[in-house]
Amino acid sequence: MPNVALLAGPVVDLASAASALAATTGVQVVSAGNVLREHVYQQTPLGEEANGYMQAGHPVPDELMVKAIAEALAHVDGGWVLYGFPRTIRQAELLTQSGHVPDAVVELVLTEDQLRPAVHRRVERRMELDPGQAERRDELLLMYTHSQENHQEQIEPLRAYYRTRGLWRTVSGFGDCDDVAARLIPVASDDQRRQ
C-alpha cells in the first residue's frame, strides 16, 4: 500500500479527496489537524502541551506536531494518506527523521481558469453550511482567492525540496472528490510499483 502526503490550497477540498482515495485504495486517512485535536480532546500530555500554545495564541511547534503525526502513522496498518502536512521544509525534515517518508507528495492544483469557479463553489458551500455568511459573500470570494494565491508562494520551497528527491507530483484538484480521487489513484499506484 502506498504512503501519500496530500496538499492543496484552501479552495480544494482535501478531506473529501483523501477520503475518496482511501475508499478506493484501502489506505487509511490521517489528518494532521484531527490528530492534534484528538490529543487535545483526550487531554494527553502531548495534547495539553499543544493546547498551551494554542491558548496563548501561538502556533504549535513543528516538533510537537510531527510527534503527534508520527505516533498516528505508526499505528496505521497498511498504507496511509496524510493530508495537509507537511507544509514547510522543516516539517518535511522532521517527518523524515521520525521514519515516515511518503512514497509520493501530491499537490492538488488548479489552473487559472479553474480558480474562479472553484472559489465560487467553495463560498457557495460555506454559505449552505452557514446561511448567515451570505452577507459576506464578496468578502469570502476575495479571501479565498488571496488565500489560494498565498498558498502558491508559501508552498514553493516544499515543492523544490520534494522535487529534488523525486517525490513531488501534481494532480488536478478541479471537480468533485470522486473525479479527483480517480486522478490520484494512478499516481499512488505508479509510486507503489517503484518501491
Side-chain angles (χ1 to χ4, degrees):
M1 290 291 201
N3 296 323
V4 178
L6 193 58
L7 302 170
V11 175
V12 178
D13 185 354
L14 267 179
S16 295
S19 295
L21 177 64
T24 308
T25 62
V27 298
Q28 184 173 327
V29 175
V30 178
S31 159
N34 289 347
V35 165
L36 196 59
R37 280 187 286 276
E38 186 62 22
H39 273 280
V40 171
Y41 177 76
Q42 296 289 336
Q43 297 181 340
T44 66
L46 192 153
E48 290 184 358
E49 186 177 352
N51 196 39
Y53 286 100
M54 292 186 288
Q55 293 297 320
H58 301 296
V60 175
D62 289 340
E63 291 79 4
L64 203 56
M65 279 293 303
V66 171
K67 184 176 180 181
I69 292 166
E71 180 183 301
L73 294 177
H75 289 94
V76 171
D77 185 22
W80 43 261
V81 55
L82 170 64
Y83 74 88
F85 197 88
R87 303 205 57 93
T88 66
I89 291 173
R90 175 74 177 140
Q91 291 172 350
E93 290 171 341
L94 288 169
L95 192 63
T96 297
Q97 290 169 17
S98 77
H100 300 285
V101 181
D103 299 317
V105 180
V106 183
E107 181 184 15
L108 300 178
V109 298
L110 299 172
T111 65
E112 287 293 322
D113 292 340
Q114 294 168 341
L115 178 58
R116 185 178 170 87
V119 166
H120 278 270
R121 189 169 54 243
R122 186 72 166 185
V123 169
E124 295 301 324
R125 178 71 179 132
R126 185 163 171 177
M127 289 188 306
E128 284 174 19
L129 296 173
D130 183 2
Q133 297 286 319
E135 63 195 37
R136 296 183 56 221
R137 187 173 191 278
D138 290 342
E139 178 188 339
L140 291 171
L141 288 170
L142 193 60
M143 180 192 75
Y144 276 115
T145 300
H146 285 309
S147 295
Q148 188 72 24
E149 291 167 354
N150 289 340
H151 162 79
Q152 297 303 320
E153 294 175 16
Q154 292 170 354
I155 206 80
E156 186 52 42
L158 190 67
R159 286 186 189 115
Y161 175 86
Y162 278 120
R163 274 190 195 118
T164 61
R165 288 155 180 77
L167 299 176
W168 191 263
R169 311 283 183 268
T170 57
V171 170
S172 173
F174 191 70
D176 67 32
C177 60
D178 291 329
D179 291 338
V180 174
R183 291 189 290 268
L184 281 169
I185 292 165
V187 173
S189 299
D190 285 349
D191 283 286
Q192 183 64 12
R193 283 196 292 270
R194 291 189 196 117
Q195 300 304 307

